[in-house]
Each structure stands twice: as structure tokens, then as C-alpha cells.
Amino acid sequence: MTRSDKMLSIKNLKVSINNKEILKGINLEVGAGEVHAIMGPNGNGKSTLANVIAGSSAYEVTEGEITFKGKNLFDLSVEERAGEGIFLSFQYPVEIPGVSMTNFMKSAVNAQRKYHGLDPMPAQELLHKIEAKRKLVEITDKMSGRSVNEGYSGGEKKKNEIFQMALLEPSLAILDETDSGLDIDALRVVANGVNKLRTKDNAFVVITHYQRLLDYIVPDFVHVLYEGQIVKSGGRELALELEEKGYEWIKNELAQ
Amino acid sequence: MQASTEQTMETMTEVPTLKEKLCSVYEQNRSLISAGDLPFITELREKAFTHFKKLGFPHQGLEAWKGTSLDKVLSHNFGLSLTPLAEEVDAEEIFKCEIPNFETLLVTQLNGWFVHNGQPIRQFPNGMIIGSLANAMKKFPEIFEAHYGKYAKTENNGLNALNTAFAIDGFFIYVPDNVHVEDVVQMVNVVSIPQDILIQTRNLVVLGKNSSLKLVQCDDTIDHMHSFINTVSEVVIGENSSLDHYKLQNKDDKSTLINNISFHLTDNSNLTTSAITLNGGLVRNNINVLIDGEYCTANVNGLYLMDKNQHIDNHVFVDHIKPNSTSNELFKGILDDSSTGVFNGHVMVRKDSQHTLAYQKNRNVLLTDKAAMDSRPFLEIYADDVKCSHGATIGQLDESAIFYMRQRGIPADEARALLLYAFAGEVINQIRIPVLAERINEMVRKRLRGELSTCDDCALHCKYQNNAPCVIDLSNIQLT
Ligand SMILES: Nc1ncnc2c1ncn2[C@@H]1O[C@H](COP(=O)(O)OP(=O)(O)OP(=O)(O)O)[C@@H](O)[C@H]1O
Ligand SMILES: [Mg+2]
């Protein structure tokens, strides 16, 4: 595979917030069928990277480029990126009072179908699909009548993200700390959900602080994002090494 | 040039104000105005007239009118009619309610006059009476003596005073004891007249004991002329009775609507009222809820969706004068373009009103920088064993929620509409007539998509060909 065949390609990405540079030249290539883990200390730009890929306007991209399936992402709106198959499991899922989960998912599924020139999904078919995907992440149906994320516990919110991912079937899913706040059983459920969705055509970027998740979702690559740059990349053993030695190890290595 | 300017100035000072013109009309037409009165009503008129003469129209110097100016409205040359329409009109012709499966007992006012259809008063087998106020007062003087003018006070309220002095007709509804009215009663006020008009209408609704009634009140304007409607409604809910009252205001931008409604609650009574303002040039709702009984529940709600230069002012006064009752207030508004709004919510819990629960919430979304909202909650509590709360918010749509929805593929516009619709839903969900709720839902949805800008698109579609009623043209009034 040549570089340009990669599903996601990020080159020298620099991003600022309020004139403060957060990302200082990120390079990352994600190919179809791959799972990448991004680790790194708090406040070093992991979520910033995820949000910029999704198209958040809270950040200013000062340099670099991102292509997705050969398209320049900066030419696409947030919803167009979603239509192209980018999904972000939010670190902090947003509560939307008054909008029911069912209505929300119906709008999302049909908006994406419309983007691809398809008619809305028949209501019955959609309900069946929702039912099936809900089982996949083992969430109870009492959640579906409620407003989006409203009053959900931290863990329920994360499961709900995976449920939405399962329903929307993205080609690139970025999971931003989806494991944080999950109990051991829920962690397994979420990981299984992800594993069941893995195919040779889709890819995952998993942002996490814990090697534990990577026991379940086995990554092909592990990257360390530190002070706005990917300072180290390796295979899954890098995660184990990090767990053992901590970030001091990276910092010392960089200082040399 | 200079000379002509001076001349204009001079004539300007000679033009009488609307107040002066109205006073002059009243003085010259006393006998005509009070021709059908019960003697006590004529007395009320006279008293109200002195009050109006003293108070005039409200101005922004008054605390209660700080946020709303009538100055522009008062500068129009309004017409005023003191006698009913010359010819009979067919109510069906004026107003066609196009809510499917919504069968109502429909009563109509056209330009402030009750539309008879040969039946000024209808008495139903269950004892309910619906009809023209002007006719009813002669037939049921004891009901009027007990209630008319008892709740809408004139000493401190120029508009109430003006109405009490001039109003001749309006709706009268009476539900006797032990009657649960199954049908929804729909009261419609249509203004359709090819000239600028000032209208005073007066409604009296009386529920006996152990009764219930569902009322839908619609205000519509058809011709795109300036109209100024000053309505006073007095509503009495007897012991153990329950009233659902939904007011739907869909007026055009040139209309001014003053809706002064006073609810009087007695022991164990129940009120749910919603003022839903979908359009209107200037709308002022004065909603007074007097909780003069124990174990009452009053749900007082409002929803306003304004745009262009529209102005809404909800002035709500809930007065707990007896213990053990509950009031819930929920007013929500969406303001677009350069529209402006005021919410003035006053809850009073008097000294002996222990165990009162009073909640008030006013939430607003401003869609532009030019839209403005002034929210003034005011709790005045003199009892110590009570639970009261209030909250007011003025904000924009939650950008993080919009981003979240867009990330799932929902286009920005649709995401915004979903949020607004959800915001409004909290009020619509409290409408306890399912067909009506559904229809209002639809209108709100349309309104939020910008497809309901005039009443031509209203679900409550109405049409009317004017037949020129007798109107006094106030622009010709000269003071002597
Ligand atoms: N809206 C914002 N305004 C100002 N600073 C911000 C904003 N969002 C993020 N930052 C800053 O950018 C930096 C990177 O934040 P980011 O959320 O990307 O970190 P992270 O690596 O995801 O951290 P964590 O592991 O704690 O989730 C932090 O210093 C943060 O304070
Ligand atoms: Mg983060």
C-alpha cells in the first residue's frame, strides 16, 4: 500500500486554540482494517486531534492537511465528514434534553442515507436495526425513550456512543476515552462491541489511558502523543512498556 | 421651508391624542354604549371611564410597562365600532378550523362582536350556556352581578379601565354545577376589516362546582391592517372544578393584542392554561391567577416564537392568598431576527398561605445578536412554610449539542430545528387535548422552519369577506 492509499492521512497538522498551539505537527496514517491506539498524558492534545478530524470549529488549523479516502477533510463540513464515514465517540457525550434517542438516531441514519442519495430507512426496518444493535452493547430499552444522554450515568453514556457507532457503521471510528468510567463488565461489553464491528474495510483510532482496554481491543499500532506531537510509535508491546515505566520514561528519552 | 415646518409643528400640537379622542367619543355616546347594560354595569363603566381619564394608556414610566411601549401603536388613526355589525354573517364563512378530528363547539367574534347566526345564546341539554355577552347579561343578571368586573380591576390599570368603559360584547360561557363538558369549546376572535381598528372585547367564563371545561381560544387577523385589540376576560373556577384553557395567538405583524385575563380559583380547583404566541406584532398577555382557595393547582404556561420586529410581553401574576395550593409556571420563548420580549413573573405568597408550592421557570433562546429578552422573575413571599423556586435563563442554542448532532450526520439546520423543537416541546407536552397538541406541534414545527409567517398558513385557517360594519373613524374626531 502506498501512503496515499491510506484511509486517513494526517500530515504536519498544527492546531491552536486562542493563539495557543496545541498540536505541533502531527503525522499519522491509518489504513483500512487497522486499529491504532493513541496514548499520552492529560492535556497533551489527544481530544484536540479527535475533534479536529471530526470538524470542530473550536480550533484553528494553522498548518498541515488531513485527507480521508482521498478527500481533503478541510473541504467538508462536520456532517459531510460523518456522511463520509467518520465517527467520533466523544470523551464527554453531550446531553440533549427533549430530543429522544430514537428520534435522534432516526434523524442521523436518514441524514446519512440522504447524503448517499438513499431514501429514508423504513421505520420498521430501523426499529429492528436499533433493537439488534442495542443488544450488541447490552443496553436496556428503557434508555431509548429518554432524551439523548440526559441523566445517563457516565458508563451508560459511553455505551450509548458505541451503540450509535454500531448503528451508523462508520468506516473510521475514533473512540476518545470510551473506556473511562466503565466498570469491568461494561468494558468487556464495549470492547466486544468494537471487535464485532471490526472488518478489513474499517478502521479504529482508540484513545485511552489504560493498557487494559488494549487487552480486549488489540491494536496494530500504539502512538504516544506528547506536547502536541506523536513522539513514539510502536506495536502493542509499547502500551505494556508504557504501563510499566510511565510517561517519565518517554520524557527522559526525549530529553536526551 | 421654515414657515411650513412651523405650521406642521403647530397642527401637530392640535391633534388630539388617542386617549383624548376616546374620552370624547365616550362622552358623546354614553347612552349608545350603555344601552343594553344592567344598571350596575353602567355604574362600572362610569367609574372605569374616570379611571381611564386619569390613567390613560400605560407608558414606559410605569414599572409594569418598562419593557413595552405602546407609543407607536397609539399614533395610528384607529376606527372604533359602537354598534354590532349591520348584517348577520355566517361563522362558518369567517372561520374554518382545519384541525382534523377536532370537533369543537365553535363560537366566533368578528371584529369584537359576537357572531349570532340567529342564536345569540345557546343553552345545551347539560345546562351549559354559551353566547353573546351583551345578550347574556340581560338573561342571567345574577351571574353577572356575582362576577362581572369583580376580578379585572380598573383603578390601577388604564387598559382594563378603557375596556370596562367601552366593551359591549364578547363571549359568555357558563357551566353549571356537576357538569363535565365533553366537547372542547373553541372561542375565536377574528379581526377582518379593511381599515385600522381599535377593538374592546369582554369575556366572562363561569364554572360552577364539580365541573370541568376545556377551552381553546384563538386570535387571528386576516386583513393586513393595523389592529389594536384590548381584551379583558374574567374566568371563575368553582370549587372542585377544573379548567383547561389554551390560547393560540397567531396575529399578523401589524396587530397589537392586549390580552388581560383574570382567573379566579376556589377550593380544590384546577387550572391549566397555556398562552401560545406563534406570531403577533405586539402581544401583551396580562395573566392574573388569583388562588383564592385551598388545595388548588394552577399550571400557567406560555410559549412564544417571535421574529422580525415582533414584541411579546408576558406579564404574569400568581397570587396565593390561601394555604395549601400549588402553582407551576413555565414560559419558554424563541426570539429570532430583531424581535424582543419581556417576561415579568410575579408570584406572591401571602402571610397565611402556608404550605404553598410555587414554581416558576422562564427560559429563552435568542437566535441572533439583535433579538433581546428581558426576564424579570419576582417572588414575594410572606409565609414561612412554603416551597418556592424560580429560574430564568436567556441563552443561545447549545453549540456543543449542535456539533454532537452534526457529527452523527445531521445537517446544521436540522440540528438547530431539532433543538428548538425540543425546547418548545416542554410547553406543548402540557397541552392535555391530544389532537390540539399534535396540531400545535405541527404549527410550531412549521414556524421553526419559517413556513408559518402569516396566518394564511395557519392550521386554523380562516377566511372572510368583509361587509363593512358601522365604524367611527377616530381620525375625524375634533375636540371642542
Ligand atoms: N476550548 C478550549 N479552550 C482553551 N484551551 C483548550 C480548549 N480545549 C482544549 N484546550 C487545551 O488544549 C490542551 C489539550 O487538550 P485535549 O483535550 O486535547 O487534551 P487530552 O490529551 O485529550 O487530555 P485528556 O487526556 O485529559 O483528555 C489542554 O491544555 C487544554 O487545556
Ligand atoms: Mg481528552
PDB file of all heavy atoms in Angstrom, chain B residues 297-318:
ATOM      1  N   THR B 297     -54.529  23.655  42.130  1.00  0.00           N
ATOM      2  CA  THR B 297     -53.327  23.561  41.301  1.00  0.00           C
ATOM      3  C   THR B 297     -53.496  24.476  40.100  1.00  0.00           C
ATOM      4  O   THR B 297     -54.511  24.406  39.414  1.00  0.00           O
ATOM      5  CB  THR B 297     -53.097  22.121  40.795  1.00  0.00           C
ATOM      6  OG1 THR B 297     -53.013  21.259  41.914  1.00  0.00           O
ATOM      7  CG2 THR B 297     -51.809  22.026  39.990  1.00  0.00           C
ATOM      8  N   ALA B 298     -52.507  25.315  39.879  1.00  0.00           N
ATOM      9  CA  ALA B 298     -52.553  26.193  38.702  1.00  0.00           C
ATOM     10  C   ALA B 298     -51.291  25.980  37.880  1.00  0.00           C
ATOM     11  O   ALA B 298     -50.183  26.199  38.374  1.00  0.00           O
ATOM     12  CB  ALA B 298     -52.656  27.645  39.145  1.00  0.00           C
ATOM     13  N   ASN B 299     -51.467  25.484  36.674  1.00  0.00           N
ATOM     14  CA  ASN B 299     -50.345  25.355  35.747  1.00  0.00           C
ATOM     15  C   ASN B 299     -50.456  26.475  34.728  1.00  0.00           C
ATOM     16  O   ASN B 299     -51.400  26.507  33.947  1.00  0.00           O
ATOM     17  CB  ASN B 299     -50.381  24.005  35.023  1.00  0.00           C
ATOM     18  CG  ASN B 299     -50.337  22.855  36.001  1.00  0.00           C
ATOM     19  OD1 ASN B 299     -49.490  22.830  36.887  1.00  0.00           O
ATOM     20  ND2 ASN B 299     -51.261  21.926  35.872  1.00  0.00           N
ATOM     21  N   VAL B 300     -49.524  27.376  34.769  1.00  0.00           N
ATOM     22  CA  VAL B 300     -49.611  28.566  33.935  1.00  0.00           C
ATOM     23  C   VAL B 300     -48.428  28.569  32.979  1.00  0.00           C
ATOM     24  O   VAL B 300     -47.286  28.751  33.400  1.00  0.00           O
ATOM     25  CB  VAL B 300     -49.601  29.840  34.805  1.00  0.00           C
ATOM     26  CG1 VAL B 300     -49.846  31.076  33.959  1.00  0.00           C
ATOM     27  CG2 VAL B 300     -50.634  29.735  35.910  1.00  0.00           C
ATOM     28  N   ASN B 301     -48.712  28.319  31.723  1.00  0.00           N
ATOM     29  CA  ASN B 301     -47.634  28.124  30.766  1.00  0.00           C
ATOM     30  C   ASN B 301     -47.702  29.096  29.597  1.00  0.00           C
ATOM     31  O   ASN B 301     -48.758  29.643  29.295  1.00  0.00           O
ATOM     32  CB  ASN B 301     -47.678  26.703  30.206  1.00  0.00           C
ATOM     33  CG  ASN B 301     -47.632  25.663  31.304  1.00  0.00           C
ATOM     34  OD1 ASN B 301     -46.931  25.841  32.298  1.00  0.00           O
ATOM     35  ND2 ASN B 301     -48.397  24.604  31.136  1.00  0.00           N
ATOM     36  N   GLY B 302     -46.592  29.248  28.957  1.00  0.00           N
ATOM     37  CA  GLY B 302     -46.560  30.087  27.763  1.00  0.00           C
ATOM     38  C   GLY B 302     -45.439  29.665  26.844  1.00  0.00           C
ATOM     39  O   GLY B 302     -44.400  29.155  27.291  1.00  0.00           O
ATOM     40  N   LEU B 303     -45.690  29.853  25.570  1.00  0.00           N
ATOM     41  CA  LEU B 303     -44.661  29.588  24.566  1.00  0.00           C
ATOM     42  C   LEU B 303     -44.750  30.719  23.548  1.00  0.00           C
ATOM     43  O   LEU B 303     -45.842  31.039  23.091  1.00  0.00           O
ATOM     44  CB  LEU B 303     -44.931  28.247  23.876  1.00  0.00           C
ATOM     45  CG  LEU B 303     -44.016  27.885  22.702  1.00  0.00           C
ATOM     46  CD1 LEU B 303     -42.594  27.640  23.178  1.00  0.00           C
ATOM     47  CD2 LEU B 303     -44.546  26.635  21.986  1.00  0.00           C
ATOM     48  N   TYR B 304     -43.618  31.322  23.232  1.00  0.00           N
ATOM     49  CA  TYR B 304     -43.656  32.403  22.249  1.00  0.00           C
ATOM     50  C   TYR B 304     -42.529  32.232  21.254  1.00  0.00           C
ATOM     51  O   TYR B 304     -41.396  31.977  21.624  1.00  0.00           O
ATOM     52  CB  TYR B 304     -43.624  33.782  22.920  1.00  0.00           C
ATOM     53  CG  TYR B 304     -42.713  33.872  24.121  1.00  0.00           C
ATOM     54  CD1 TYR B 304     -41.440  34.431  24.013  1.00  0.00           C
ATOM     55  CD2 TYR B 304     -43.128  33.398  25.364  1.00  0.00           C
ATOM     56  CE1 TYR B 304     -40.598  34.502  25.119  1.00  0.00           C
ATOM     57  CE2 TYR B 304     -42.292  33.471  26.461  1.00  0.00           C
ATOM     58  CZ  TYR B 304     -41.032  34.019  26.332  1.00  0.00           C
ATOM     59  OH  TYR B 304     -40.192  34.077  27.417  1.00  0.00           O
ATOM     60  N   LEU B 305     -42.873  32.344  19.996  1.00  0.00           N
ATOM     61  CA  LEU B 305     -41.905  32.201  18.914  1.00  0.00           C
ATOM     62  C   LEU B 305     -41.983  33.472  18.088  1.00  0.00           C
ATOM     63  O   LEU B 305     -42.902  33.650  17.310  1.00  0.00           O
ATOM     64  CB  LEU B 305     -42.263  30.991  18.033  1.00  0.00           C
ATOM     65  CG  LEU B 305     -42.610  29.685  18.755  1.00  0.00           C
ATOM     66  CD1 LEU B 305     -42.976  28.607  17.746  1.00  0.00           C
ATOM     67  CD2 LEU B 305     -41.448  29.214  19.595  1.00  0.00           C
ATOM     68  N   MET B 306     -41.043  34.374  18.323  1.00  0.00           N
ATOM     69  CA  MET B 306     -41.149  35.676  17.670  1.00  0.00           C
ATOM     70  C   MET B 306     -40.029  35.863  16.652  1.00  0.00           C
ATOM     71  O   MET B 306     -38.944  35.301  16.796  1.00  0.00           O
ATOM     72  CB  MET B 306     -41.067  36.796  18.717  1.00  0.00           C
ATOM     73  CG  MET B 306     -41.931  36.612  19.949  1.00  0.00           C
ATOM     74  SD  MET B 306     -43.675  36.257  19.622  1.00  0.00           S
ATOM     75  CE  MET B 306     -44.277  37.904  19.270  1.00  0.00           C
ATOM     76  N   ASP B 307     -40.323  36.664  15.642  1.00  0.00           N
ATOM     77  CA  ASP B 307     -39.257  37.032  14.719  1.00  0.00           C
ATOM     78  C   ASP B 307     -39.512  38.442  14.176  1.00  0.00           C
ATOM     79  O   ASP B 307     -40.349  39.167  14.711  1.00  0.00           O
ATOM     80  CB  ASP B 307     -39.083  35.994  13.597  1.00  0.00           C
ATOM     81  CG  ASP B 307     -40.312  35.879  12.718  1.00  0.00           C
ATOM     82  OD1 ASP B 307     -41.233  36.696  12.869  1.00  0.00           O
ATOM     83  OD2 ASP B 307     -40.336  34.961  11.883  1.00  0.00           O
ATOM     84  N   LYS B 308     -38.797  38.818  13.132  1.00  0.00           N
ATOM     85  CA  LYS B 308     -38.869  40.173  12.568  1.00  0.00           C
ATOM     86  C   LYS B 308     -38.789  41.210  13.693  1.00  0.00           C
ATOM     87  O   LYS B 308     -37.906  41.126  14.518  1.00  0.00           O
ATOM     88  CB  LYS B 308     -40.128  40.327  11.724  1.00  0.00           C
ATOM     89  CG  LYS B 308     -40.021  39.524  10.427  1.00  0.00           C
ATOM     90  CD  LYS B 308     -41.322  39.411   9.700  1.00  0.00           C
ATOM     91  CE  LYS B 308     -42.101  38.237  10.208  1.00  0.00           C
ATOM     92  NZ  LYS B 308     -43.288  37.882   9.507  1.00  0.00           N
ATOM     93  N   ASN B 309     -39.760  42.150  13.717  1.00  0.00           N
ATOM     94  CA  ASN B 309     -39.721  43.149  14.788  1.00  0.00           C
ATOM     95  C   ASN B 309     -40.796  42.900  15.833  1.00  0.00           C
ATOM     96  O   ASN B 309     -41.223  43.807  16.534  1.00  0.00           O
ATOM     97  CB  ASN B 309     -39.895  44.551  14.202  1.00  0.00           C
ATOM     98  CG  ASN B 309     -38.689  44.953  13.390  1.00  0.00           C
ATOM     99  OD1 ASN B 309     -37.552  44.822  13.849  1.00  0.00           O
ATOM    100  ND2 ASN B 309     -38.919  45.395  12.175  1.00  0.00           N
ATOM    101  N   GLN B 310     -41.259  41.672  15.903  1.00  0.00           N
ATOM    102  CA  GLN B 310     -42.344  41.376  16.818  1.00  0.00           C
ATOM    103  C   GLN B 310     -41.915  41.556  18.281  1.00  0.00           C
ATOM    104  O   GLN B 310     -40.742  41.458  18.611  1.00  0.00           O
ATOM    105  CB  GLN B 310     -42.827  39.940  16.589  1.00  0.00           C
ATOM    106  CG  GLN B 310     -43.339  39.726  15.163  1.00  0.00           C
ATOM    107  CD  GLN B 310     -43.712  38.282  14.871  1.00  0.00           C
ATOM    108  OE1 GLN B 310     -43.432  37.381  15.651  1.00  0.00           O
ATOM    109  NE2 GLN B 310     -44.343  38.072  13.735  1.00  0.00           N
ATOM    110  N   HIS B 311     -42.924  41.818  19.096  1.00  0.00           N
ATOM    111  CA  HIS B 311     -42.644  42.018  20.525  1.00  0.00           C
ATOM    112  C   HIS B 311     -43.663  41.249  21.358  1.00  0.00           C
ATOM    113  O   HIS B 311     -44.858  41.325  21.114  1.00  0.00           O
ATOM    114  CB  HIS B 311     -42.712  43.518  20.856  1.00  0.00           C
ATOM    115  CG  HIS B 311     -42.436  43.824  22.292  1.00  0.00           C
ATOM    116  ND1 HIS B 311     -41.164  43.848  22.810  1.00  0.00           N
ATOM    117  CD2 HIS B 311     -43.268  44.100  23.322  1.00  0.00           C
ATOM    118  CE1 HIS B 311     -41.224  44.150  24.112  1.00  0.00           C
ATOM    119  NE2 HIS B 311     -42.498  44.302  24.440  1.00  0.00           N
ATOM    120  N   ILE B 312     -43.162  40.534  22.338  1.00  0.00           N
ATOM    121  CA  ILE B 312     -44.057  39.784  23.240  1.00  0.00           C
ATOM    122  C   ILE B 312     -43.771  40.208  24.668  1.00  0.00           C
ATOM    123  O   ILE B 312     -42.621  40.391  25.062  1.00  0.00           O
ATOM    124  CB  ILE B 312     -43.840  38.263  23.093  1.00  0.00           C
ATOM    125  CG1 ILE B 312     -44.644  37.459  24.135  1.00  0.00           C
ATOM    126  CG2 ILE B 312     -42.357  37.872  23.239  1.00  0.00           C
ATOM    127  CD1 ILE B 312     -46.060  37.225  23.768  1.00  0.00           C
ATOM    128  N   ASP B 313     -44.826  40.385  25.419  1.00  0.00           N
ATOM    129  CA  ASP B 313     -44.669  40.741  26.820  1.00  0.00           C
ATOM    130  C   ASP B 313     -45.635  39.876  27.628  1.00  0.00           C
ATOM    131  O   ASP B 313     -46.847  40.042  27.539  1.00  0.00           O
ATOM    132  CB  ASP B 313     -44.976  42.242  26.990  1.00  0.00           C
ATOM    133  CG  ASP B 313     -44.795  42.724  28.428  1.00  0.00           C
ATOM    134  OD1 ASP B 313     -44.670  41.881  29.340  1.00  0.00           O
ATOM    135  OD2 ASP B 313     -44.801  43.954  28.634  1.00  0.00           O
ATOM    136  N   ASN B 314     -45.101  38.931  28.357  1.00  0.00           N
ATOM    137  CA  ASN B 314     -45.937  38.122  29.241  1.00  0.00           C
ATOM    138  C   ASN B 314     -45.797  38.645  30.658  1.00  0.00           C
ATOM    139  O   ASN B 314     -44.701  38.632  31.230  1.00  0.00           O
ATOM    140  CB  ASN B 314     -45.517  36.645  29.189  1.00  0.00           C
ATOM    141  CG  ASN B 314     -46.061  35.951  27.960  1.00  0.00           C
ATOM    142  OD1 ASN B 314     -47.273  35.939  27.724  1.00  0.00           O
ATOM    143  ND2 ASN B 314     -45.169  35.396  27.155  1.00  0.00           N
ATOM    144  N   HIS B 315     -46.904  39.098  31.151  1.00  0.00           N
ATOM    145  CA  HIS B 315     -46.915  39.699  32.474  1.00  0.00           C
ATOM    146  C   HIS B 315     -47.811  38.820  33.346  1.00  0.00           C
ATOM    147  O   HIS B 315     -49.024  38.825  33.204  1.00  0.00           O
ATOM    148  CB  HIS B 315     -47.486  41.115  32.349  1.00  0.00           C
ATOM    149  CG  HIS B 315     -47.211  41.970  33.526  1.00  0.00           C
ATOM    150  ND1 HIS B 315     -46.116  42.793  33.593  1.00  0.00           N
ATOM    151  CD2 HIS B 315     -47.862  42.119  34.689  1.00  0.00           C
ATOM    152  CE1 HIS B 315     -46.122  43.429  34.751  1.00  0.00           C
ATOM    153  NE2 HIS B 315     -47.172  43.026  35.436  1.00  0.00           N
ATOM    154  N   VAL B 316     -47.188  38.048  34.204  1.00  0.00           N
ATOM    155  CA  VAL B 316     -47.939  37.013  34.918  1.00  0.00           C
ATOM    156  C   VAL B 316     -47.918  37.288  36.412  1.00  0.00           C
ATOM    157  O   VAL B 316     -46.856  37.502  36.998  1.00  0.00           O
ATOM    158  CB  VAL B 316     -47.318  35.621  34.646  1.00  0.00           C
ATOM    159  CG1 VAL B 316     -48.206  34.530  35.221  1.00  0.00           C
ATOM    160  CG2 VAL B 316     -47.089  35.410  33.155  1.00  0.00           C
ATOM    161  N   PHE B 317     -49.076  37.285  36.968  1.00  0.00           N
ATOM    162  CA  PHE B 317     -49.166  37.496  38.411  1.00  0.00           C
ATOM    163  C   PHE B 317     -49.930  36.336  39.037  1.00  0.00           C
ATOM    164  O   PHE B 317     -51.102  36.128  38.737  1.00  0.00           O
ATOM    165  CB  PHE B 317     -49.862  38.832  38.697  1.00  0.00           C
ATOM    166  CG  PHE B 317     -50.024  39.148  40.165  1.00  0.00           C
ATOM    167  CD1 PHE B 317     -49.005  38.875  41.077  1.00  0.00           C
ATOM    168  CD2 PHE B 317     -51.193  39.728  40.635  1.00  0.00           C
ATOM    169  CE1 PHE B 317     -49.148  39.170  42.431  1.00  0.00           C
ATOM    170  CE2 PHE B 317     -51.346  40.038  41.989  1.00  0.00           C
ATOM    171  CZ  PHE B 317     -50.326  39.748  42.884  1.00  0.00           C
ATOM    172  N   VAL B 318     -49.247  35.567  39.856  1.00  0.00           N
ATOM    173  CA  VAL B 318     -49.902  34.467  40.561  1.00  0.00           C
ATOM    174  C   VAL B 318     -49.959  34.850  42.026  1.00  0.00           C
ATOM    175  O   VAL B 318     -48.927  35.092  42.656  1.00  0.00           O
ATOM    176  CB  VAL B 318     -49.124  33.145  40.376  1.00  0.00           C
ATOM    177  CG1 VAL B 318     -49.761  32.030  41.201  1.00  0.00           C
ATOM    178  CG2 VAL B 318     -49.072  32.762  38.902  1.00  0.00           C
TER     179      VAL B 318
END
